[in-house]
């Protein structure tokens, strides 16, 4: 069963806490992306990675960190420096052959 | 469910009607465009794409039209069904391996 998985579906963060969102793909895609979605707004790019062990900041990288140690995995850490983390987080991946990005089911992050 | 559609433009249609959703893009150098469908609380699903060397592309019940002169993209859904109710948004590939996304339009289909 191929695709992109994200976990958990819902995540709760306490003040001052770092939390990590998981994204895994078995599509053999080279590039992976993290987006943040707020109600009534378009997707905003947080970080992306085109190859293992390399990643670039997107438009709203402050307060977030990523790693890309394996091709299949691109975890996102929401740090305590992110003062407004409540949002729907979407992971996507893309084969190098086309521009189409395919999305995971998303993780909703809520602050306690 | 998650309210991605809050304050979005809304198109309301009757079941069986044809729907047309519009999108204006920003970069005249964009060479590839995609339409996505997003249901409440879920990740976006790929619907159809078109390259800048084409004006029209058809899929199953969907057609995308590209007008590069006015930087306009439209998605036509034939015989709209209640299951088509969702937020639809376009994306443009303007280089550097990233996409720029529109804010979306909410489509509401009533039986």
């Amino acid at each position: 069963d191929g695709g992109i998985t994200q976990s958990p579906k819902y995540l709760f963060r306490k003040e001052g806490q770092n939390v990590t969102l998981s994204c895994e793909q078995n599509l053999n895609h080279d590039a992976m992306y993290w987006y943040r979605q707020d109600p009534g707004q378009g997707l905003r790019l947080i970080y992306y990675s085109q190859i293992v062990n390399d990643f670039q900041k997107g438009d709203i990288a402050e307060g977030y960190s990523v790693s890309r140690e394996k091709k299949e995995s691109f975890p996102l850490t929401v740090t305590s420096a992110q003062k407004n983390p409540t949002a729907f987080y979407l992971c996507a991946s893309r084969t190098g052959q086309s521009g189409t990005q395919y999305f995971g089911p998303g993780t909703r992050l809520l602050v306690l | 469910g998650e309210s991605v559609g809050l304050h979005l433009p809304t198109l309301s249609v009757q079941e069986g009607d044809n729907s047309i959703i519009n999108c204006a893009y920003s970069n005249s150098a964009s060479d590839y465009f995609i339409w996505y469908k997003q249901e409440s609380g879920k990740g976006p699903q790929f619907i159809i794409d078109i390259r800048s060397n084409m004006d029209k592309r058809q899929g199953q019940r969907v057609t995308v039209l590209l007008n590069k002169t006015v930087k306009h993209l439209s998605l036509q859904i034939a015989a709209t069904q209640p299951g088509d109710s969702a937020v639809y948004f376009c994306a443009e590939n303007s280089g550097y391996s990233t996409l720029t996304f529109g804010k979306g339009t909410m489509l509401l289909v009533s039986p």
Side-chain angles (χ1 to χ4, degrees):
Chain A
D1 192 20
I4 304 171
T5 57
Q6 291 185 242
S7 62
K9 186 174 175 65
Y10 295 95
L11 185 58
F12 299 90
R13 193 191 90 162
K14 296 179 181 178
E15 292 289 337
Q17 185 181 41
N18 293 353
V19 291
T20 297
L21 285 61
S22 169
C23 178
E24 303 278 332
Q25 54 97 3
N26 61 4
L27 301 168
N28 200 34
H29 286 174
D30 295 308
M32 297 185 74
Y33 304 80
W34 274 106
Y35 295 92
R36 171 181 172 138
Q37 187 174 40
D38 295 281
Q41 297 194 30
L43 300 179
R44 293 187 289 169
L45 182 63
I46 305 173
Y47 269 98
Y48 66 104
S49 167
Q50 297 187 70
I51 195 169
V52 174
N53 292 323
D54 187 44
F55 48 83
Q56 289 78 40
K57 292 182 178 180
D59 301 318
I60 55 165
E62 185 175 351
Y64 300 97
S65 66
V66 293
S67 63
R68 186 86 187 275
E69 296 177 3
K70 298 186 300 181
K71 188 175 185 177
E72 303 79 19
S73 178
F74 191 40
L76 173 74
T77 296
V78 184
T79 75
S80 57
Q82 173 49 245
K83 298 306 180 188
N84 183 25
T86 297
F88 192 49
Y89 290 87
L90 288 159
C91 178
S93 69
R94 178 183 66 88
T95 176
Q97 301 301 316
S98 78
T100 303
Q101 292 182 20
Y102 296 93
F103 287 86
T107 292
R108 173 153 290 281
L109 177 60
L110 300 165
V111 177
L112 295 177
Chain B
E2 184 239 341
S3 55
V4 293
L6 190 64
H7 303 312
L8 289 176
T10 300
L11 174 65
S12 296
V13 300
Q14 295 283 330
E15 182 177 1
D17 287 351
N18 296 331
S19 302
I20 300 176
I21 300 170
N22 297 304
C23 176
Y25 64 92
S26 58
N27 190 338
S28 56
S30 293
D31 60 356
Y32 178 66
F33 305 87
I34 309 166
W35 278 102
Y36 289 95
K37 171 186 179 183
Q38 187 176 24
E39 296 174 87
S40 182
K42 296 183 178 180
Q45 292 174 272
F46 169 85
I47 302 173
I48 192 168
D49 58 3
I50 188 168
R51 301 222 169 254
S52 59
N53 60 354
M54 302 172 69
D55 297 323
K56 178 179 179 179
R57 190 165 188 216
Q58 288 184 290
Q60 187 177 13
R61 279 202 309 120
V62 294
T63 301
V64 56
L65 299 177
L66 176 62
N67 185 332
K68 295 181 286 293
T69 303
V70 294
K71 293 190 288 186
H72 183 267
L73 198 64
S74 69
L75 176 71
Q76 300 179 3
I77 304 174
T80 314
Q81 302 167 0
D84 294 327
S85 294
V87 173
Y88 291 81
F89 55 90
C90 64
E92 59 180 301
N93 178 38
S94 46
Y96 305 104
S97 299
T98 62
L99 298 175
T100 302
F101 293 86
K103 292 184 179 181
T105 296
M106 176 171 281
L107 176 65
L108 297 174
V109 184
S110 50

